[in-house]
Structures are given as structure tokens and as C-alpha cells.
């Protein structure tokens, strides 16, 4: 069986700066895979390349066995790959409802779209209560819920989340992480990029540690959580 996503010897550069230096990993349907690592390790660049926003210098990205590197980003969304970017990128002046609908821009099944809007409001009641308000009035954590809700509106086969816990209070972070666990339990395949290694690895079937453009260590979430070098470098232990 081919994996849902396969990344093979991927290299990505910004001009002369090589941000990703030949990484390989794959994700099976139904798995949660976490990429952890410090600032500048190349995690966001990896996600941007998978979703078609950047073109690799070399290497391949395959989704359901088909090559997608070089495919325009909007086509990749249509194939079932959604990306909730770092910094959330919600449209502050548009309403919460309009932001969610943007996630469904390629869909034509009105009844299905409405059912998924209802699910988003069920999952995140605050979004339902304030659906007619400008999205910019939401708190950071609520905006993260909106960004996740919007990505889910495309009914993705693979959901990529870039730093969903960034800048959130511990309570909000807990809420976002339990939502990710819920999505996992419902069978959603997720590629999670996080600086919060403890949370990201606890949720993950597999994890990869990225350091300056390379994967330095891989294992199950549990293996990495108990790995001494990971504990020292990423979990703040002596
Ligand atoms: P962070 O959590 O800080 O986003 P990251 O692991 O996601 O870290 P990237 O954002 O992928 O790392 O950055 C990898 C490298 O590429 C860094 O050295 C960064 O400075 C560089 N980089 C990222 N975006 C650009 C850009 N638009 N132009 C030039 N260099 C960039």
C-alpha cells in the first residue's frame, strides 16, 4: 500500500539559502505525524512546499501516489490537502462565517458545505455565537480555531497545521491540542508542525526532529518523548 503522502529527498531554497536539505518521510492514512525543531529548522518551508506554495530545488512530493511538486497550490487543495499556515492568516475584516466559507471555495455541494459549517460551530461554539462578527475581533486562540475550522471546510484527506499553539494561553493550547486529538480519533490524517514538542509528540504516531534543514531523528511519538537527546534539547530537561 502506498502512503498517503511521501516526501523524498526534498530540497528547498530561498535564493542561495538552502532551508531544506534533503528530507524524506511519509504519512499513512489515519496517522498523526509531528515535525518538531527549533526556529529556522525548515519546518514551515517543508509545509509550504508540500502545499505547492514553494517549488523544490529537487526531490519529490507524492500524494496518493501522484507527484504534486510543481502542481499549483489551488489544485493541491482540490486534491484534498489543506494547510493551516503559521500566524493563522485569517481575514480580519471578513466575518467568521465568510472566513469558514473560503475554506470551501472549491466545493459545489451546498448541503454538504452547510453540514460542515454546522459541525465547525458544534466543535467551536464561540465561532457559531459570533458568526456574523468580523474575524479580527476574535482572540488569538479563537482565531486559531477559525483557521483550523477553515482548513477542515475543504474536507481534506490530509490536514497540515503549522504551529497551532503559537502565542496561546495554556488553556487555549489545551483546547487546540484536544481538538487535534479528536480529529485524529475521527480518522483525520494530520501533519503537525510544533515548537511545543511535548504536546506534538504526545499526540503523534510518528515524529521527526528537524535541525537546520535535515531530519536528525525519527521515531514513534513515544520513542521521541523518552529519548534523552530530545528531552534535553526540546523538552527543557537537564
Ligand atoms: P519557524 O518556526 O521559525 O517558522 P521553521 O522550522 O518553520 O521555523 P522555516 O520558516 O522553514 O523554519 O525557515 C527555514 C530557513 O529558511 C530559515 O533560515 C529562514 O530564515 C529561511 N527562510 C524562511 N522563509 C524565508 C524567505 N521567505 N526568504 C528567505 N529565507 C527564508
Amino acid at each position: 500500500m502506498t502512503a498517503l503522502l511521501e516526501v523524498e529527498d526534498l530540497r528547498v531554497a530561498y535564493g542561495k539559502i538552502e532551508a531544506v536539505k534533503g528530507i524524506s518521510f511519509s504519512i499513512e492514512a489515519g496517522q498523526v505525524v509531528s515535525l518538531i525543531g527549533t526556529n529556522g529548522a525548515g519546518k514551515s518551508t517543508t509545509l509550504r512546499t508540500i502545499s505547492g506554495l514553494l517549488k523544490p530545488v529537487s526531490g519529490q512530493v507524492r500524494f496518493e501516489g501522484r507527484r504534486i511538486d510543481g502542481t499549483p497550490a489551488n489544485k493541491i487543495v482540490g486534491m484534498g490537502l489543506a494547510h493551516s499556515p503559521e500566524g493563522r492568516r485569517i481575514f480580519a475584516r471578513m466575518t467568521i462565517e465568510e472566513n469558514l466559507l473560503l475554506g470551501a471555495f472549491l466545493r459545489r455541494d451546498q448541503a454538504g458545505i452547510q453540514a460542515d459549517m454546522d459541525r465547525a460551530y458544534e466543535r467551536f461554539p464561540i465561532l457559531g455565537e459570533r458568526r456574523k462578527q468580523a474575524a479580527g475581533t476574535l482572540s488569538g486562540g479563537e482565531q486559531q480555531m477559525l483557521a483550523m475550522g477553515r482548513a477542515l471546510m475543504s474536507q481534506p484527506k490530509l490536514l497540515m497545521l503549522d504551529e497551532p499553539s503559537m502565542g496561546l494561553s495554556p488553556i487555549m493550547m489545551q483546547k487546540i491540542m484536544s481538538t487535534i486529538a479528536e480529529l485524529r480519533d475521527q480518522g483525520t490524517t494530520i501533519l503537525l508542525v510544533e515548537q511545543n514538542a511535548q504536546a506534538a509528540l504526545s499526540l503523534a504516531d510518528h515524529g521527526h526532529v528537524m535541525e537546520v534543514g535535515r531530519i536528525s531523528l525519527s521515531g514513534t511519538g513515544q520513542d521521541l518523548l523518552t529519548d534523552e537527546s530530545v528531552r534535553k534539547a526540546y523538552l527543557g530537561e537537564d
Side-chain angles (χ1 to χ4, degrees):
M1 201 187 85
T2 44
L4 181 64
L5 182 83
E6 296 160 289
V7 171
E8 196 180 311
D9 203 14
L10 194 70
R11 290 174 184 273
V12 192
Y14 298 99
K16 285 188 180 152
I17 303 168
E18 204 178 26
V20 174
K21 303 174 182 177
I23 63 165
S24 301
F25 65 92
S26 60
I27 306 180
E28 305 283 341
Q31 278 187 337
V32 174
V33 172
S34 293
L35 287 184
I36 63 165
T38 50
N39 275 328
K43 307 178 301 294
S44 300
T45 302
T46 302
L47 293 199
R48 283 188 220 123
T49 309
I50 294 170
S51 62
L53 298 170
L54 294 173
K55 272 196 181 169
V57 173
S58 64
Q60 294 194 4
V61 181
R62 291 187 296 273
F63 188 59
E64 298 186 302
R66 289 161 67 188
R67 273 189 82 165
I68 58 167
D69 46 282
T71 303
N74 63 337
K75 280 218 169 132
I76 291 178
V77 176
M79 294 167 85
L81 209 155
H83 182 183
S84 177
E86 189 173 4
R88 321 191 232 283
R89 307 287 159 86
I90 57 136
F91 295 90
R93 291 194 189 161
M94 292 170 67
T95 66
I96 288 153
E97 187 171 57
E98 288 164 343
N99 270 273
L100 282 175
L101 281 170
L102 278 179
F105 76 105
L106 289 171
R107 293 173 61 183
R108 294 288 170 268
D109 55 323
Q110 285 310 323
I113 293 172
Q114 193 49 56
D116 283 348
M117 295 284 281
D118 292 344
R119 280 189 82 188
Y121 295 145
E122 235 169 74
R123 184 170 275 136
F124 305 114
I126 189 81
L127 300 183
E129 286 160 28
R130 296 174 60 181
R131 68 182 82 186
K132 300 290 182 196
Q133 290 181 25
T137 64
L138 295 172
S139 74
E142 292 158 357
Q143 290 188 17
Q144 184 57 52
M145 293 174 185
L146 179 56
M148 283 174 67
R150 181 180 59 189
L152 287 168
M153 286 301 295
S154 65
Q155 292 193 315
K157 294 174 188 158
L158 173 64
L159 175 64
M160 299 199 294
L161 301 171
D162 197 346
E163 301 271 0
S165 79
M166 190 167 62
L168 302 188
S169 67
I171 288 178
M172 261 308 167
M173 197 194 84
Q174 207 55 52
K175 163 77 184 153
I176 294 294
M177 289 300 162
S178 65
T179 303
I180 295 172
E182 213 177 284
L183 291 170
R184 175 198 62 197
D185 295 344
Q186 291 162 1
T188 311
T189 311
I190 297 171
L191 176 55
L192 174 63
V193 160
E194 259 296 336
Q195 288 205 40
N196 185 329
Q198 174 77 43
L201 294 175
S202 307
L203 283 172
D205 295 294
H206 278 278
H208 304 284
V209 180
M210 272 191 90
E211 281 173 13
V212 283
R214 294 196 169 84
I215 291 178
S216 57
L217 191 64
S218 301
T220 65
Q222 277 311 311
D223 285 347
L224 293 181
L225 269 179
T226 50
D227 181 276
E228 201 177 334
S229 64
V230 171
R231 299 192 73 83
K232 279 190 179 150
Y234 301 102
L235 301 175
E237 295 191 3
D238 299 326

